[in-house]
Amino acid sequence: MSDKCCSQNKEFCEDIDAIVSLIDKLNKKFFRVQNEITSKTGMTPQQYYLLTLLWEEDGIPFHKLAKSCCCSKSTITGIVDTMEKNGLVFRERTSQDRRVILLRLTEKGKGLFGKFPEIEEMFGKCCSGGLTPAEAKELRQLLEKLNRMTIVY
């Protein structure tokens, strides 16, 4: 934290430092859980997440996928390359703008929808333990606020 912030409100700065540390620890734990759970599908957590996005809305532009995953278009390209080799997705240029590339599900990719109900259940169980519905709602609202306010350089 900046010296100006800490000199004005030391307790607030300590709280922010603790929040950042907890988010980092949770991120690492969640990543390990994701790897363990999705390994049963033969996919990485990133590949599985892209599939879940495409199951909700097929034909998503690369830039939108990158934003949803909080990563670069080049990172998405690497993930998609593997998924394409595995026959799960294909790329399609739009007729309106040839620069825009959409990601679409193949029949194989569509066919995986609903094949792993235990994964969604496991994700839910690992993340909801000990929270009441009201606490979960409040935490979600606070995390959404923090996400909106976080500046990425």
Side-chain angles (χ1 to χ4, degrees):
M1 292 288 119
S2 71
D3 291 334
K4 182 180 178 184
C5 170
C6 290
S7 65
Q8 290 178 356
N9 190 339
K10 186 174 180 172
E11 185 178 345
F12 174 75
C13 291
E14 288 171 355
D15 286 340
I16 295 298
D17 285 342
I19 289 168
V20 169
S21 178
L22 286 168
I23 289 172
D24 184 51
K25 287 177 187 176
L26 285 169
N27 183 47
K28 289 173 181 166
K29 282 182 181 179
F30 192 63
F31 186 74
R32 283 195 307 268
V33 168
Q34 283 180 314
N35 276 325
E36 185 177 322
I37 292 171
T38 58
S39 69
K40 296 170 175 72
T41 68
M43 291 180 265
T44 65
Q46 296 84 358
Q47 292 168 348
Y48 187 80
Y49 181 66
L50 285 183
L51 272 183
T52 63
L53 292 175
L54 291 167
W55 288 331
E56 290 176 18
E57 176 190 348
D58 198 8
I60 302 175
F62 264 60
H63 70 275
K64 188 174 175 183
L65 288 170
K67 186 175 180 177
S68 294
C69 296
C70 297
C71 60
S72 67
K73 284 189 262 186
S74 60
T75 299
I76 291 295
T77 299
I79 297 166
V80 169
D81 286 346
T82 303
M83 294 175 74
E84 204 168 27
K85 285 177 192 167
N86 293 333
L88 301 173
V89 297
F90 67 95
R91 293 170 168 94
E92 178 182 88
R93 292 199 183 271
T94 65
S95 57
Q96 297 91 352
D97 186 345
R98 299 279 301 155
R99 295 170 297 175
V100 176
I101 299 172
L102 303 177
L103 190 62
R104 294 206 177 272
L105 290 166
T106 62
E107 289 305 313
K108 181 179 177 182
K110 290 175 185 175
L112 291 176
F113 180 73
K115 296 278 186 191
F116 307 108
E118 70 279 1
I119 289 178
E120 297 301 323
E121 186 178 324
M122 291 166 81
F123 277 139
K125 283 182 180 177
C126 81
C127 299
S128 64
L131 292 178
T132 66
E135 289 170 331
K137 184 174 184 149
E138 181 180 10
L139 179 58
R140 177 183 177 178
Q141 290 170 341
L142 290 170
L143 289 172
E144 285 173 346
K145 181 177 182 179
L146 183 61
N147 185 52
R148 284 191 307 273
M149 297 173 67
T150 301
I151 300 168
V152 178
Y153 296 97

